[in-house]
Amino acid sequence: MQKFDAIRPFYDSEVNEALHGVANHPMMKAMMNFSFPELEDEVWKEQLKRTHSIRDFQCNFIYQTIQKVLERSSEGLTTSGFEKLEKNTSYLFVSNHRDILLDTTLLNVCLFEHGLVMTASAIGDNLVKKSFLNILAKLNRNFLVLRGLSPREMLQSSKLLSEYIGHLLFRENRSVWIAQREGRTKDGNDATNPGVLKMLGMGSDEANLMDYFKKMKIVPVSISYEYDPTDALKMPQLMAEANNEIYIKEKNEDFMTILSGIMGTKKRIHISVGDVLDKEIDQIAAENDNANKQIQALAQAIDDSILKNYKLWPTNYIAYDILNKTDKFSHLYKENEKSLFERRLEMRIGSDNPIAVQGILAMYANPVVNKLKYQDAI
């Protein structure tokens, strides 16, 4: 399918040549020495050069890397909802988005451990400008979302992306991961951009758009980190937006954010998958005959699932109480957890920047605010 060549990951037939090309790259050496500290370089290089499929690369190398990341930078990953998914079945996972690489990689770890179809995952082409990162992304079954296009190019790109996602789901029986909005949530408010759903719907040849979305088997995903390792890095953009200023990224900012996300302290992590949105889509179709209203209602249904299933940690309750000068949730955290949170906040932001302090507190508190809308969920 040459029409997808500009955005697709490697085919299995291209994997071995790509691995030969990067086996001696210093970043590959750093990654492998981190993942397999007990092995001589020649041992993992030989194993790499005998790898001929994305699945083998993911299971034998990336999976081990993520286990080391979890061991070094977290207090464990827990899950809920995966037992509801069927084996050998493709799903469209629409996820909240907190970390550039880990959100989708951790989901794939969970899918692998539950014997389920792993995903092809969307990634902005701005994040893989470096040649090695581009190759690594394609080896890890990432497909590209092209950024910085003119409106006309954007329309063509969105149509191609939509067709490719349909091709993966229906022709290749491959699950797909896509974020609910462009870019990571910086303020803790997880909300689905209806534009993402409009893009997905462009590939439909169904008479009824809701029939197409139902066929996709949409599964909302909630990922939550007790500590966001990139929380302080998100502040400059939030502060610029608060001052109505245009935020311009530093040259290597995305790369540094990727590294911080991978190696920074996360404490506990939880991934919850919701139910397939079957009944919800039937109800939306029955209640609305206007396509725009249907898409708005579907975005809301995704949000409802993500917010209800979002795992709240002591850090969220602590931030809510500090921000609102209350002790409403003090029964849900210990005093030493509060002290640790406050000390970390001071170390990362300092006490002389009240706007940034408020920003980080809101980032952790907003999931509580959003979950309070569903009283039964807290």
Side-chain angles (χ1 to χ4, degrees):
M1 297 288 294
Q2 287 181 316
K3 71 189 290 189
F4 301 129
D5 280 357
I7 62 170
R8 67 170 176 81
F10 289 126
Y11 294 133
D12 281 346
S13 59
E14 300 165 326
V15 164
N16 190 253
E17 185 183 344
L19 286 169
H20 272 76
V22 295
N24 293 313
H25 194 286
M27 286 177 80
M28 182 61 87
K29 176 177 164 58
M31 186 171 124
M32 291 297 141
N33 290 164
F34 169 78
S35 309
F36 305 102
E38 72 287 354
L39 293 184
E40 295 291 327
D41 286 4
E42 288 314 308
V43 176
W44 59 256
K45 278 183 190 176
E46 271 309 303
Q47 289 176 332
L48 265 187
K49 289 173 180 177
R50 288 201 301 269
T51 299
H52 289 268
S53 73
I54 286 180
R55 183 177 175 82
D56 282 353
F57 179 67
Q58 287 184 315
C59 298
N60 297 331
F61 295 96
I62 297 296
Y63 180 79
Q64 303 304 324
T65 301
I66 296 302
Q67 294 309 312
K68 275 283 189 293
V69 167
L70 290 172
E71 195 182 296
R72 294 271 190 96
S73 69
S74 84
E75 290 178 13
L77 168 65
T78 52
T79 65
S80 53
F82 285 89
E83 66 286 345
K84 296 177 291 192
L85 301 177
E86 293 177 16
K87 291 180 168 37
N88 305 315
T89 302
S90 63
Y91 296 96
L92 174 64
F93 295 102
V94 181
S95 171
N96 69 330
H97 192 21
R98 297 304 176 87
D99 185 87
I100 292 173
L101 285 191
L102 275 187
D103 293 355
T104 175
T105 314
L106 291 174
L107 174 65
N108 273 321
V109 162
C110 301
L111 293 170
F112 173 62
E113 289 179 346
H114 285 85
L116 298 160
V117 175
M118 290 192 286
T119 70
S121 304
I123 190 168
D125 68 340
N126 56 305
L127 301 173
V128 289
K129 294 286 188 209
K130 293 179 189 290
S131 171
F132 176 79
L133 290 179
N134 188 281
I135 290 167
L136 190 61
K138 290 163 83 168
L139 282 166
N140 213 22
R141 207 177 268 115
N142 289 123
F143 57 91
L144 299 181
V145 180
L146 307 181
R147 305 282 194 220
L149 304 176
S150 70
R152 187 164 172 271
E153 290 168 329
M154 178 68 80
L155 190 65
Q156 291 170 329
S157 172
S158 295
K159 181 134 180 44
L160 183 71
L161 191 61
S162 174
E163 285 178 21
Y164 184 59
I165 289 169
H167 172 82
L168 288 165
L169 288 167
F170 308 131
R171 300 279 173 80
E172 294 191 13
N173 195 38
R174 169 65 53 197
S175 288
V176 171
W177 176 95
I178 192 163
Q180 66 180 163
R181 42 160 288 172
E182 180 183 327
R184 292 165 301 139
T185 304
K186 310 287 195 309
D187 61 2
N189 283 314
D190 297 311
T192 304
N193 181 348
V196 171
L197 301 179
K198 284 178 183 170
M199 177 279 292
L200 290 168
M202 282 180 170
S204 170
D205 51 10
E206 302 273 347
N208 185 320
L209 189 57
M210 288 296 116
D211 287 345
Y212 185 65
F213 283 131
K214 189 170 177 181
K215 196 169 128 187
M216 284 180 144
K217 298 190 185 72
I218 296 173
V219 175
V221 177
S222 313
I223 181 161
S224 98
Y225 301 87
E226 188 166 8
Y227 278 114
D228 180 342
T230 62
D231 49 14
L233 298 177
K234 293 174 179 176
M235 282 305 104
Q237 184 172 346
L238 277 180
M239 289 175 70
E241 288 166 2
N243 296 324
N244 290 320
E245 296 167 359
I246 293 170
Y247 179 69
I248 297 165
K249 286 183 181 179
E250 300 284 338
K251 188 174 176 221
N252 282 324
E253 186 172 328
D254 285 332
F255 184 62
M256 295 313 295
T257 300
I258 288 171
L259 286 183
S260 299
I262 291 169
M263 295 314 302
T265 300
K266 293 167 264 296
K267 286 193 82 176
R268 291 169 292 183
I269 308 164
H270 188 79
I271 298 181
S272 176
V273 295
D275 295 324
V276 180
L277 296 181
D278 270 352
K279 296 193 293 291
E280 291 83 353
I281 287 174
D282 285 341
Q283 191 176 345
I284 289 165
E287 292 175 357
N288 301 283
D289 54 9
N290 174 287
N292 274 337
K293 285 184 178 171
Q294 288 178 338
I295 280 176
Q296 293 285 349
L298 181 54
Q300 187 60 57
I302 292 169
D303 289 353
D304 290 345
S305 176
I306 288 174
L307 297 174
K308 278 182 184 173
N309 289 319
Y310 188 92
K311 169 91 173 167
L312 293 173
W313 300 107
T315 48
N316 301 114
Y317 296 119
I318 291 163
Y320 180 95
D321 278 357
I322 296 172
L323 198 60
N324 294 285
K325 299 181 173 58
T326 179
D327 59 0
K328 179 175 180 175
F329 293 111
S330 59
H331 60 292
L332 294 173
Y333 55 84
K334 300 184 182 78
E335 202 52 46
N336 70 318
E337 288 174 319
K338 186 178 181 183
S339 302
L340 187 69
F341 181 81
E342 289 175 320
R343 192 159 68 247
R344 184 177 183 275
L345 188 62
E346 188 162 348
M347 282 171 63
R348 290 175 79 80
I349 295 290
S351 52
D352 56 349
N353 193 340
I355 296 172
V357 169
Q358 292 286 304
I360 283 202
L361 287 173
M363 182 191 297
Y364 283 96
N366 280 333
V368 181
V369 175
N370 291 328
K371 204 148 183 168
L372 283 169
K373 296 167 191 167
Y374 312 90
Q375 287 295 343
D376 57 329
I378 280 208

